[in-house]
Amino acid sequence: EEGERRHRRLLEAISSLSGRKRRRLAERTEASAQVSEFNVSTKGAGEKLVLSELLQPIRPKSALSGVKKELTRVKQKAAVELPLSKEEAKRVVREAAYVTTSKDVGKWQQVVLQNRRAEQLVFPLKQDIATVVPLEQAVSAWKARTPLEQEIFGLLHKTKQPITDPLLMPEEAASLQAMSLEEARQRRAELQKARVVQSYYEAKARREKKIKSKKYHRMLKKSRRRKALKEFELLQKSDPEAALARLEELEQLRMQERMSLKHQNKGKWACSRAIIAKYDLEARKAMQEQLAKNKELMQKVRVELPEEKPDDVPEEDLMSVTIPTIPMGTSRANPWLLGKPSSPAKEPEAQEGQGDVLEPGAAESKEEMEEEEEEEMSEEEALLQDFAQKRHVRQQRAGSPEGPGADATEAVSEPLGDIPVPPVCAEAEASTGIEPSAGIEPPAGAQEGVLLWQQLGRARTMEDVEALASEEHVEEPVATGAETGARQPVATGAETGARQPVATGEGGIDQRGVITEAFAGDDVVADFRREKHKAEQDAKPQPVNLVLPGWGEWGGSGLKPSTRKIKRFLLKPSPAPPRKDQHLPHVIMSEKRNIYAAAHQVSELPFPFERHQQFEQSIRAPVGATWNTQRAFQKLTAPRVITRSGHIIQPISAEDIPTAARPALEPVPGQGAQRGWRRGRMGL
Amino acid sequence: MRVKVLSRNPDDYVRETKLDLQRVPRNYDPALHPFEVPREYVRALNATKLERVFAKPFLGSLDGHRDGVNCMAKHPKSLSTVLSGACDGEVKIWNLTKRQCIRTIQAHEGFVRGICARFCGTSFFTVGDDKTVKQWKMESPEYGEEEPIHTILGKTVYTGIDHHWKEAVFATCGQQVDIWDEQRTSPMCSLTWGFDSISSVKFNPIETYLLGSCASDRNIVLYDMRKSTPLKKVILNMRTNTLCWNPMEAFIFTAANEDYNLYTFDMRFLESPVMVHMDHVSAVLDVDYSPTGKEFVSASFDKSIRIFPVDKGHSREVYHTKRMQHVITVKWTSDSKYILCGSDEMNIRLWKANASEKLGVLAPREKAAMNYNQKLKEKFQYHPKIRRIAQHRHLPKSIFCQIKEQRIMREARRRKELNRRKHSKPGSVPLVSERKKHIVAVVK
């Protein structure tokens, strides 16, 4: 091919040389006579044949241009899609019909659920209610026939008595029609209830008003004021804007007070009091009270911005940080407590709540108060608070590394001097039931604990560890002093508290730290021990007290039966046989299960109940008439379904449903069974 | 001088009539009535035992048919009337109070395939193997031969018929579902979907334009009469014999299947049944709802009928007698007190729906005691001793053995699946719930 092309080019070049342009015959590459698939020319293969080009005449003609335009326009329009196959069309119709029908049927959902949940169903659903025929209807049906009746009617007509006219006013009739019997009943019940409630309130108010006691009224007022104040505080917390509005209202009141002359010792009563006041102490007091009230009302309320005290918080937190908690006895035995990362803010209190292992004596009364409050908190709350505060502290430290550290050292230096000797550990342990052998050498254990605790929680870098060790060395001689069993951890805690920001800044919280933090509060081993101890105590047979005061001696309030008698009648039980789990420290074996009773007992929680308490409760409440009043008994034993013999029960229909639920069932126009059905028939 | 004496108001202690109960002042102090739970437990135990002692559900049989009873229909207005069609083309009308046949019609040649009463109770329809639909008067003619009011000759065999609950329209099934106007001789509309024969068609009693049908190609098809179109089809593992709509819950129906189970469907969610009811040991042939919509009764090829609560997977009751053969049709009477079943050996049997119920009028005290006992049984039903007594039923040896056998088979299948799951790649053997297991597909 290449050769051919060159040849052609050469020919052209030659022909152009000759000067005159030779008219070249168009070469026909497509053989008309014998078309073979082997020698189809590829010329013009890439080009597309355009329809309009076929129409193009040799010379453009105006007559055909219109057709061309039409053609191009037609080409722009998309072709009409093929109609769906019969199967598919049917399927579309079915789907649409199914959706509408299931929606139609779905309107029964509410009724069905209600019936399933109903305490009692009475069949047949359509109960005949004896309806009273209105008088005028009965009268209108009746006509005078006998001459006597006609005579009477004539008389009545003469006097224009209403005979067939409705005795009711049109409005009344309308209202009667508008309201069904059931609705009317309902409404009456509502009205009755409202009336009762109102009268009750009225009676109460009257009663209270009648009370003459001034003290009572004073108390009432005071309580009201206090309540208002509390509410206001709550409001301030939850919705500051509303609180401001409220404050403005109060301001308004104050202004009114200032304008008025109330509480100013100008009234009649006040004048009389003023005269008596010289001689009567009570009167003077009352007057003073009034004056005070006036002053109070006149006083302008200062708007306190809800400012937190940012300065106080870190101080407090770090205070708590400085007091470390190393349960001395348990730390070695209990693996859960070894990896305690950082002493949580309120840890000491929480620990105290658990078992008074370590008691950092609080010198200041304020601190004591705080502790008391804390003790009231449940453990969980304390835990939550711990976490929150820890987070807070972390944030604070990340924000300002130097500030709180300095604070901490200050804070520490103060309590250091004050903290007294902690109570003997053994004593605390005896109360928690921990073996005393674990607490024999508390100081050593404490030191170990401190080291471990610091390593895990705080010191992350080598420098830290070294610094820590050196500090340890420095302080050891001080710590060996007889008194400072607990001081040492306090001091080191303070130091690390100051150093903390560096550590946390370098690395995040590692996995172990997270876990230990998550389980910071629960000391599983100690819990178990306590539980076992309790089980043991419970299983021990109790002494029986048969002492009757007053037998053989004088009885009465303030008199105790004699010790001799107590000794005689307090029956000590024989000791229980040794427990089976006596030598198994990690096991509690309950010996309560009675195999003879178990045959009669339910072993698994039955299906509809979710918790065993629910089931037990359902069994515990008796239903019999022996334990309940007749009325309650009837109510408790009412059957689920009541049917009447000899009555046909029809399937449920829209008329059976009480009016309250009916609107949902009313057929939407155009979808009703009747009309739709007709349409369907016509479609055939 | 004034003498003070003790005086009491006679109203407090004197009865109004001598028929009244003596007034007994009661002290409800719980300390005086200890051990309430044990005492009630004993009472419940006694009540349960008594219930089993008095459980005598069989009331009587209606014999007179000369071939197996193939279909039954309730009279919509009269509780004491029941219609039945036999395999020899005979239709009988029965009076239940007298337990007598009051009328016999030779309705068809061959089987009477279906029978249904008009909603007003004036006439009834039958279809038979002779390709005809016949309408008959409920009252017998004063003289002469029994003649149907109308006879429609069809092209194919009709296998079932059901009447609309409110209008003069009925539906037949065979090769397709036809909906007829009573006044015309050709169907108003024919609904088809697929080409297999349809065994049963039922109108929804609440939303009366809805129809359900089941065909022998294992599917259940729902139709809407208003739009004259099928709605949806659900294909099960095996063939469904009949279905029945719940008369109190418009969208619930129960299908009696060949695979020994019954399936309760919500027609809005056909992907899986609401409940699978299993206990039968052979194909379930018929099912009928109690008019209260709380329970249904099923007739099975295993020669027993069972009563299922709608929301429970297992039956609360099984009825059988020595002579009862394959039960083909079953009906729950409209007062929800009795059950009728028609079986192969030409008898219709009448049972109590509640086996230990006392028939007749109850005195108020009796009623109260009954209610209390019922409540106690309900309260202590989970206790093992009580449950053992309450659930104990005597079964024919064949059924008993089959139940055992099937339990073993089920257990084996379960174990095999467990093993397969254990030894294959996690997730490759998925857990399929019992409800999903029996559904092959839902066709839109």
Side-chain angles (χ1 to χ4, degrees), chain A residues 94 98 100-101 104-105 108-109 116 600 619 621 623-624 626-628 649 652 671 677 680 684, chain B residues 26 28 33 40-41 167 188 206-207 224 226-227 230 247 249 251 267-268 334 372 375 379 444:
Chain A
R94 281 197 302 256
Y98 179 72
T100 54
T101 311
D104 275 8
V105 173
W108 285 94
Q109 175 77 20
R116 276 183 197 167
H600 296 270
I619 294 295
V623 287
T626 322
W627 299 275
N628 294 298
I649 302 169
I652 198 170
Q671 284 192 337
W677 167 225
L684 297 167
Chain B
R26 293 268 292 106
Y28 289 105
H33 307 285
E40 288 215 317
Y41 175 78
E167 287 168 42
M188 295 188 306
I206 305 167
E207 294 292 331
D224 190 339
R226 299 176 299 178
K227 289 158 188 133
E249 302 176 358
F251 38 78
M267 69 155 278
R268 298 167 300 168
S334 317
Y372 180 42
K375 198 74 195 179
K379 185 177 161 186
K444 281 179 187 169

Short mmCIF file of all heavy atoms in Angstrom, two decimals, chain A residues 94 98 100-101 104-105 108-109 116 600 619 621 623-624 626-628 649 652 671 677 680 684, chain B residues 26 28 33 40-41 167 188 206-207 224 226-227 230 247 249 251 267-268 334 372 375 379 444:
data_model
loop_
_atom_site.label_atom_id
_atom_site.label_comp_id
_atom_site.label_asym_id
_atom_site.label_seq_id
_atom_site.Cartn_x
_atom_site.Cartn_y
_atom_site.Cartn_z
N ARG A 94 -50.92 -4.81 39.31
CA ARG A 94 -51.03 -5.58 40.56
C ARG A 94 -50.35 -4.88 41.71
O ARG A 94 -50.88 -4.78 42.81
CB ARG A 94 -50.41 -6.96 40.37
CG ARG A 94 -51.28 -7.93 39.64
CD ARG A 94 -50.77 -9.33 39.87
NE ARG A 94 -49.41 -9.51 39.44
CZ ARG A 94 -49.04 -10.15 38.33
NH1 ARG A 94 -49.96 -10.62 37.51
NH2 ARG A 94 -47.78 -10.30 38.02
N TYR A 98 -52.09 -3.62 45.02
CA TYR A 98 -51.70 -4.18 46.32
C TYR A 98 -51.39 -3.07 47.31
O TYR A 98 -51.79 -3.13 48.48
CB TYR A 98 -50.49 -5.09 46.16
CG TYR A 98 -50.02 -5.68 47.45
CD1 TYR A 98 -50.76 -6.66 48.08
CD2 TYR A 98 -48.85 -5.23 48.06
CE1 TYR A 98 -50.34 -7.20 49.27
CE2 TYR A 98 -48.44 -5.76 49.26
CZ TYR A 98 -49.18 -6.75 49.86
OH TYR A 98 -48.78 -7.27 51.04
N THR A 100 -52.51 0.03 47.36
CA THR A 100 -53.71 0.74 47.83
C THR A 100 -54.55 -0.15 48.73
O THR A 100 -55.05 0.29 49.77
CB THR A 100 -54.57 1.20 46.65
OG1 THR A 100 -54.85 0.07 45.82
CG2 THR A 100 -53.90 2.28 45.85
N THR A 101 -54.66 -1.43 48.37
CA THR A 101 -55.50 -2.32 49.18
C THR A 101 -54.91 -2.53 50.57
O THR A 101 -55.64 -2.50 51.56
CB THR A 101 -55.64 -3.69 48.49
OG1 THR A 101 -56.00 -3.47 47.14
CG2 THR A 101 -56.69 -4.52 49.17
N ASP A 104 -55.70 0.33 52.56
CA ASP A 104 -57.11 0.29 52.96
C ASP A 104 -57.30 -0.61 54.17
O ASP A 104 -57.99 -0.27 55.12
CB ASP A 104 -57.96 -0.25 51.82
CG ASP A 104 -58.34 0.84 50.84
OD1 ASP A 104 -57.82 1.95 50.99
OD2 ASP A 104 -59.14 0.58 49.92
N VAL A 105 -56.69 -1.77 54.08
CA VAL A 105 -56.86 -2.74 55.16
C VAL A 105 -56.15 -2.26 56.42
O VAL A 105 -56.60 -2.52 57.53
CB VAL A 105 -56.33 -4.12 54.71
CG1 VAL A 105 -56.33 -5.09 55.85
CG2 VAL A 105 -57.20 -4.64 53.60
N TRP A 108 -57.49 -0.78 59.82
CA TRP A 108 -58.01 -1.58 60.94
C TRP A 108 -56.96 -1.80 62.01
O TRP A 108 -57.25 -2.34 63.06
CB TRP A 108 -58.49 -2.94 60.44
CG TRP A 108 -59.78 -2.88 59.71
CD1 TRP A 108 -59.96 -2.77 58.37
CD2 TRP A 108 -61.09 -2.90 60.27
NE1 TRP A 108 -61.29 -2.71 58.07
CE2 TRP A 108 -62.01 -2.80 59.22
CE3 TRP A 108 -61.57 -2.99 61.57
CZ2 TRP A 108 -63.38 -2.79 59.43
CZ3 TRP A 108 -62.94 -2.98 61.78
CH2 TRP A 108 -63.82 -2.87 60.71
N GLN A 109 -55.76 -1.44 61.73
CA GLN A 109 -54.64 -1.74 62.62
C GLN A 109 -54.93 -1.34 64.07
O GLN A 109 -54.76 -2.12 65.00
CB GLN A 109 -53.40 -1.01 62.10
CG GLN A 109 -52.18 -1.14 62.99
CD GLN A 109 -51.51 -2.48 62.82
OE1 GLN A 109 -51.71 -3.17 61.82
NE2 GLN A 109 -50.72 -2.87 63.79
N ARG A 116 -56.76 -6.72 70.71
CA ARG A 116 -55.82 -7.71 71.22
C ARG A 116 -55.40 -7.38 72.63
O ARG A 116 -55.18 -8.25 73.46
CB ARG A 116 -54.57 -7.73 70.34
CG ARG A 116 -54.72 -8.59 69.12
CD ARG A 116 -53.45 -8.60 68.35
NE ARG A 116 -53.67 -9.08 66.99
CZ ARG A 116 -52.78 -8.98 66.02
NH1 ARG A 116 -51.63 -8.39 66.24
NH2 ARG A 116 -53.03 -9.43 64.83
N HIS A 600 -41.74 -28.31 92.39
CA HIS A 600 -42.96 -27.53 92.22
C HIS A 600 -42.68 -26.13 91.73
O HIS A 600 -43.61 -25.36 91.54
CB HIS A 600 -43.73 -27.45 93.54
CG HIS A 600 -44.21 -28.78 94.02
ND1 HIS A 600 -45.43 -29.29 93.68
CD2 HIS A 600 -43.60 -29.72 94.78
CE1 HIS A 600 -45.57 -30.48 94.23
NE2 HIS A 600 -44.47 -30.78 94.91
N ILE A 619 -47.25 -13.78 90.84
CA ILE A 619 -47.65 -14.94 91.65
C ILE A 619 -48.04 -14.50 93.06
O ILE A 619 -48.96 -15.03 93.67
CB ILE A 619 -46.49 -15.95 91.72
CG1 ILE A 619 -46.21 -16.54 90.34
CG2 ILE A 619 -46.77 -17.06 92.72
CD1 ILE A 619 -47.33 -17.36 89.77
N ALA A 621 -49.40 -11.75 94.31
CA ALA A 621 -50.67 -11.08 94.59
C ALA A 621 -51.80 -12.10 94.51
O ALA A 621 -52.03 -12.70 93.47
CB ALA A 621 -50.90 -9.98 93.58
N VAL A 623 -55.59 -13.62 94.20
CA VAL A 623 -56.79 -13.17 93.51
C VAL A 623 -58.07 -13.64 94.19
O VAL A 623 -59.14 -13.18 93.85
CB VAL A 623 -56.81 -13.64 92.03
CG1 VAL A 623 -55.83 -12.89 91.22
CG2 VAL A 623 -56.58 -15.13 91.94
N GLY A 624 -57.93 -14.54 95.13
CA GLY A 624 -59.11 -15.16 95.71
C GLY A 624 -59.93 -14.22 96.57
O GLY A 624 -59.47 -13.16 97.00
N THR A 626 -60.77 -14.76 99.48
CA THR A 626 -60.28 -14.81 100.86
C THR A 626 -59.42 -13.60 101.19
O THR A 626 -59.35 -13.16 102.32
CB THR A 626 -59.43 -16.07 101.07
OG1 THR A 626 -60.03 -17.13 100.34
CG2 THR A 626 -59.34 -16.42 102.52
N TRP A 627 -58.75 -13.08 100.16
CA TRP A 627 -57.80 -12.00 100.41
C TRP A 627 -58.25 -10.67 99.82
O TRP A 627 -57.61 -9.67 100.00
CB TRP A 627 -56.45 -12.36 99.81
CG TRP A 627 -55.88 -13.58 100.42
CD1 TRP A 627 -55.15 -13.64 101.57
CD2 TRP A 627 -56.01 -14.91 99.97
NE1 TRP A 627 -54.81 -14.93 101.85
CE2 TRP A 627 -55.33 -15.74 100.89
CE3 TRP A 627 -56.65 -15.51 98.89
CZ2 TRP A 627 -55.25 -17.12 100.73
CZ3 TRP A 627 -56.57 -16.88 98.74
CH2 TRP A 627 -55.88 -17.67 99.66
N ASN A 628 -59.33 -10.72 99.06
CA ASN A 628 -59.78 -9.49 98.40
C ASN A 628 -61.23 -9.22 98.72
O ASN A 628 -61.99 -10.13 99.05
CB ASN A 628 -59.63 -9.62 96.88
CG ASN A 628 -58.19 -9.75 96.48
OD1 ASN A 628 -57.41 -8.86 96.71
ND2 ASN A 628 -57.84 -10.90 95.91
N ILE A 649 -72.38 -14.42 66.60
CA ILE A 649 -71.35 -13.37 66.60
C ILE A 649 -70.99 -13.06 65.15
O ILE A 649 -70.46 -13.90 64.44
CB ILE A 649 -70.11 -13.85 67.37
CG1 ILE A 649 -70.49 -14.23 68.79
CG2 ILE A 649 -69.04 -12.78 67.36
CD1 ILE A 649 -69.40 -14.95 69.54
N ILE A 652 -66.55 -8.47 62.68
CA ILE A 652 -66.49 -7.06 63.06
C ILE A 652 -66.78 -6.18 61.84
O ILE A 652 -66.47 -6.55 60.71
CB ILE A 652 -65.09 -6.75 63.66
CG1 ILE A 652 -65.13 -5.47 64.46
CG2 ILE A 652 -64.04 -6.68 62.58
CD1 ILE A 652 -63.87 -5.25 65.26
N GLN A 671 -63.04 5.46 47.32
CA GLN A 671 -62.37 4.20 47.63
C GLN A 671 -63.29 3.22 48.33
O GLN A 671 -62.90 2.12 48.64
CB GLN A 671 -61.17 4.45 48.54
CG GLN A 671 -60.01 5.04 47.80
CD GLN A 671 -58.78 4.98 48.65
OE1 GLN A 671 -58.88 4.91 49.87
NE2 GLN A 671 -57.62 5.02 48.03
N TRP A 677 -66.55 -1.12 43.69
CA TRP A 677 -67.05 -2.36 43.12
C TRP A 677 -67.81 -2.07 41.83
O TRP A 677 -67.64 -2.73 40.82
CB TRP A 677 -67.89 -3.04 44.17
CG TRP A 677 -68.72 -4.17 43.70
CD1 TRP A 677 -70.02 -4.40 44.00
CD2 TRP A 677 -68.32 -5.25 42.87
NE1 TRP A 677 -70.45 -5.53 43.41
CE2 TRP A 677 -69.43 -6.07 42.70
CE3 TRP A 677 -67.15 -5.59 42.23
CZ2 TRP A 677 -69.41 -7.22 41.93
CZ3 TRP A 677 -67.13 -6.73 41.47
CH2 TRP A 677 -68.25 -7.53 41.32
N GLY A 680 -65.55 -1.38 39.10
CA GLY A 680 -64.92 -2.61 38.63
C GLY A 680 -65.85 -3.35 37.68
O GLY A 680 -65.42 -3.87 36.66
N LEU A 684 -65.65 -4.21 33.27
CA LEU A 684 -65.71 -5.49 32.55
C LEU A 684 -66.42 -5.27 31.26
O LEU A 684 -66.76 -5.86 30.48
CB LEU A 684 -66.44 -6.51 33.39
CG LEU A 684 -65.72 -6.82 34.68
CD1 LEU A 684 -66.63 -7.59 35.60
CD2 LEU A 684 -64.47 -7.62 34.39
N ARG B 26 -66.41 -9.91 107.35
CA ARG B 26 -65.09 -10.45 107.02
C ARG B 26 -63.99 -9.56 107.56
O ARG B 26 -64.12 -8.34 107.54
CB ARG B 26 -64.93 -10.54 105.50
CG ARG B 26 -65.82 -11.55 104.87
CD ARG B 26 -65.15 -12.90 104.74
NE ARG B 26 -64.07 -12.88 103.77
CZ ARG B 26 -62.79 -12.91 104.09
NH1 ARG B 26 -62.44 -12.96 105.35
NH2 ARG B 26 -61.87 -12.93 103.17
N TYR B 28 -60.30 -8.65 106.63
CA TYR B 28 -59.34 -8.84 105.54
C TYR B 28 -57.89 -8.69 105.98
O TYR B 28 -57.02 -8.58 105.14
CB TYR B 28 -59.64 -7.87 104.40
CG TYR B 28 -60.90 -8.23 103.67
CD1 TYR B 28 -62.07 -7.52 103.85
CD2 TYR B 28 -60.91 -9.32 102.81
CE1 TYR B 28 -63.22 -7.86 103.20
CE2 TYR B 28 -62.06 -9.68 102.14
CZ TYR B 28 -63.21 -8.95 102.34
OH TYR B 28 -64.35 -9.31 101.70
N HIS B 33 -54.95 -14.31 107.28
CA HIS B 33 -55.06 -15.24 106.14
C HIS B 33 -53.68 -15.50 105.56
O HIS B 33 -53.34 -15.00 104.49
CB HIS B 33 -55.98 -14.65 105.08
CG HIS B 33 -57.30 -14.24 105.60
ND1 HIS B 33 -58.29 -15.15 105.93
CD2 HIS B 33 -57.81 -13.02 105.91
CE1 HIS B 33 -59.34 -14.50 106.39
NE2 HIS B 33 -59.08 -13.21 106.39
N GLU B 40 -53.34 -20.78 97.16
CA GLU B 40 -53.85 -20.60 95.80
C GLU B 40 -53.23 -21.62 94.86
O GLU B 40 -53.88 -22.06 93.91
CB GLU B 40 -53.54 -19.17 95.31
CG GLU B 40 -54.40 -18.15 96.01
CD GLU B 40 -54.79 -16.99 95.11
OE1 GLU B 40 -53.90 -16.53 94.38
OE2 GLU B 40 -55.95 -16.58 95.15
N TYR B 41 -52.02 -21.99 95.15
CA TYR B 41 -51.37 -23.00 94.31
C TYR B 41 -52.13 -24.32 94.38
O TYR B 41 -52.41 -24.95 93.36
CB TYR B 41 -49.93 -23.18 94.78
CG TYR B 41 -49.19 -24.28 94.06
CD1 TYR B 41 -48.70 -24.08 92.78
CD2 TYR B 41 -48.99 -25.51 94.67
CE1 TYR B 41 -48.03 -25.09 92.12
CE2 TYR B 41 -48.32 -26.52 94.02
CZ TYR B 41 -47.84 -26.30 92.74
OH TYR B 41 -47.17 -27.30 92.08
N GLU B 167 -73.28 -8.69 49.62
CA GLU B 167 -73.93 -8.43 48.34
C GLU B 167 -74.30 -9.73 47.65
O GLU B 167 -73.84 -10.80 48.03
CB GLU B 167 -72.99 -7.62 47.45
CG GLU B 167 -72.86 -6.19 47.89
CD GLU B 167 -71.71 -5.51 47.17
OE1 GLU B 167 -71.55 -5.74 45.97
OE2 GLU B 167 -70.96 -4.78 47.84
N MET B 188 -69.03 -12.44 36.06
CA MET B 188 -68.77 -11.02 35.81
C MET B 188 -67.30 -10.81 35.53
O MET B 188 -66.91 -9.91 34.82
CB MET B 188 -69.13 -10.22 37.05
CG MET B 188 -70.56 -10.25 37.37
SD MET B 188 -70.89 -9.12 38.67
CE MET B 188 -69.74 -9.63 39.87
N ILE B 206 -64.57 -8.94 56.59
CA ILE B 206 -64.60 -7.55 57.06
C ILE B 206 -64.47 -6.59 55.88
O ILE B 206 -65.36 -5.79 55.60
CB ILE B 206 -63.48 -7.30 58.08
CG1 ILE B 206 -63.58 -8.31 59.21
CG2 ILE B 206 -63.58 -5.90 58.64
CD1 ILE B 206 -62.37 -8.36 60.08
N GLU B 207 -63.35 -6.68 55.18
CA GLU B 207 -63.21 -5.90 53.96
C GLU B 207 -63.67 -6.82 52.84
O GLU B 207 -62.91 -7.58 52.26
CB GLU B 207 -61.74 -5.49 53.77
CG GLU B 207 -61.23 -4.53 54.83
CD GLU B 207 -61.88 -3.17 54.75
OE1 GLU B 207 -62.28 -2.77 53.66
OE2 GLU B 207 -62.01 -2.51 55.80
N ASP B 224 -58.33 -8.48 44.61
CA ASP B 224 -59.20 -7.36 44.97
C ASP B 224 -60.34 -7.34 43.96
O ASP B 224 -60.11 -7.22 42.76
CB ASP B 224 -58.41 -6.05 44.93
CG ASP B 224 -59.20 -4.91 45.52
OD1 ASP B 224 -60.44 -5.04 45.58
OD2 ASP B 224 -58.60 -3.91 45.94
N ARG B 226 -62.70 -5.11 43.64
CA ARG B 226 -63.02 -3.78 43.11
C ARG B 226 -62.23 -3.50 41.86
O ARG B 226 -62.72 -2.97 40.89
CB ARG B 226 -62.67 -2.71 44.15
CG ARG B 226 -63.41 -2.83 45.42
CD ARG B 226 -62.94 -1.79 46.40
NE ARG B 226 -61.51 -1.93 46.71
CZ ARG B 226 -60.85 -1.13 47.51
NH1 ARG B 226 -61.47 -0.10 48.05
NH2 ARG B 226 -59.58 -1.32 47.77
N LYS B 227 -60.97 -3.86 41.89
CA LYS B 227 -60.11 -3.56 40.75
C LYS B 227 -60.02 -4.77 39.83
O LYS B 227 -59.33 -4.71 38.83
CB LYS B 227 -58.74 -3.17 41.25
CG LYS B 227 -58.76 -1.81 41.91
CD LYS B 227 -57.61 -1.62 42.84
CE LYS B 227 -57.80 -0.32 43.60
NZ LYS B 227 -57.56 -0.48 45.03
N PRO B 230 -55.59 -9.62 40.58
CA PRO B 230 -54.87 -10.25 41.67
C PRO B 230 -53.95 -9.22 42.33
O PRO B 230 -53.57 -8.24 41.70
CB PRO B 230 -54.05 -11.34 41.01
CG PRO B 230 -54.51 -11.41 39.62
CD PRO B 230 -55.21 -10.16 39.29
N PRO B 247 -62.21 -13.31 61.43
CA PRO B 247 -63.39 -12.45 61.37
C PRO B 247 -63.29 -11.19 62.21
O PRO B 247 -64.18 -10.36 62.16
CB PRO B 247 -64.50 -13.36 61.88
CG PRO B 247 -63.82 -14.35 62.73
CD PRO B 247 -62.45 -14.54 62.17
N GLU B 249 -60.01 -9.56 62.62
CA GLU B 249 -58.82 -8.81 62.21
C GLU B 249 -58.73 -8.89 60.70
O GLU B 249 -58.43 -9.93 60.13
CB GLU B 249 -57.58 -9.40 62.89
CG GLU B 249 -57.73 -9.36 64.40
CD GLU B 249 -56.58 -10.02 65.13
OE1 GLU B 249 -55.67 -10.55 64.49
OE2 GLU B 249 -56.63 -10.01 66.37
N PHE B 251 -56.87 -8.11 58.27
CA PHE B 251 -55.73 -8.43 57.42
C PHE B 251 -55.05 -9.75 57.78
O PHE B 251 -54.00 -10.07 57.27
CB PHE B 251 -54.69 -7.31 57.46
CG PHE B 251 -54.53 -6.68 58.81
CD1 PHE B 251 -53.80 -7.32 59.79
CD2 PHE B 251 -55.13 -5.48 59.10
CE1 PHE B 251 -53.67 -6.78 61.02
CE2 PHE B 251 -55.01 -4.92 60.35
CZ PHE B 251 -54.28 -5.57 61.31
N MET B 267 -51.75 -9.98 55.63
CA MET B 267 -51.73 -9.81 54.18
C MET B 267 -50.89 -8.61 53.75
O MET B 267 -50.54 -8.49 52.58
CB MET B 267 -53.14 -9.68 53.61
CG MET B 267 -53.86 -8.42 53.96
SD MET B 267 -55.11 -8.02 52.73
CE MET B 267 -54.15 -7.24 51.47
N ARG B 268 -50.54 -7.75 54.66
CA ARG B 268 -49.71 -6.61 54.28
C ARG B 268 -48.24 -6.98 54.24
O ARG B 268 -47.45 -6.33 53.59
CB ARG B 268 -49.93 -5.45 55.26
CG ARG B 268 -51.35 -4.96 55.26
CD ARG B 268 -51.61 -4.07 56.42
NE ARG B 268 -51.40 -4.77 57.69
CZ ARG B 268 -51.33 -4.17 58.84
NH1 ARG B 268 -51.41 -2.85 58.90
NH2 ARG B 268 -51.13 -4.85 59.95
N SER B 334 -71.34 -20.27 65.04
CA SER B 334 -71.31 -18.80 65.13
C SER B 334 -71.45 -18.28 66.54
O SER B 334 -71.26 -17.09 66.77
CB SER B 334 -72.43 -18.20 64.30
OG SER B 334 -72.55 -18.84 63.09
N TYR B 372 -62.93 -17.83 88.81
CA TYR B 372 -61.79 -17.88 89.74
C TYR B 372 -60.85 -19.01 89.37
O TYR B 372 -59.64 -18.84 89.30
CB TYR B 372 -62.32 -18.01 91.17
CG TYR B 372 -61.26 -18.06 92.22
CD1 TYR B 372 -60.16 -17.21 92.16
CD2 TYR B 372 -61.35 -18.94 93.30
CE1 TYR B 372 -59.18 -17.25 93.13
CE2 TYR B 372 -60.40 -18.97 94.27
CZ TYR B 372 -59.30 -18.13 94.19
OH TYR B 372 -58.34 -18.17 95.15
N LYS B 375 -58.91 -18.19 86.36
CA LYS B 375 -57.84 -17.22 86.65
C LYS B 375 -56.66 -17.92 87.33
O LYS B 375 -55.50 -17.64 87.04
CB LYS B 375 -58.41 -16.13 87.56
CG LYS B 375 -57.58 -14.88 87.60
CD LYS B 375 -57.76 -14.12 86.32
CE LYS B 375 -56.69 -13.07 86.20
NZ LYS B 375 -56.82 -12.34 84.95
N LYS B 379 -52.90 -18.22 86.20
CA LYS B 379 -51.83 -17.64 87.02
C LYS B 379 -50.71 -18.65 87.26
O LYS B 379 -49.54 -18.30 87.22
CB LYS B 379 -52.44 -17.20 88.36
CG LYS B 379 -51.50 -16.48 89.28
CD LYS B 379 -52.26 -16.03 90.52
CE LYS B 379 -51.30 -15.74 91.63
NZ LYS B 379 -51.99 -15.44 92.88
N LYS B 444 -44.82 -10.42 43.05
CA LYS B 444 -45.61 -9.19 43.00
C LYS B 444 -46.58 -9.24 41.83
O LYS B 444 -46.27 -9.81 40.81
CB LYS B 444 -44.68 -7.99 42.86
CG LYS B 444 -44.06 -7.62 44.18
CD LYS B 444 -43.14 -6.45 43.99
CE LYS B 444 -42.38 -6.18 45.27
NZ LYS B 444 -41.30 -5.22 45.05
#
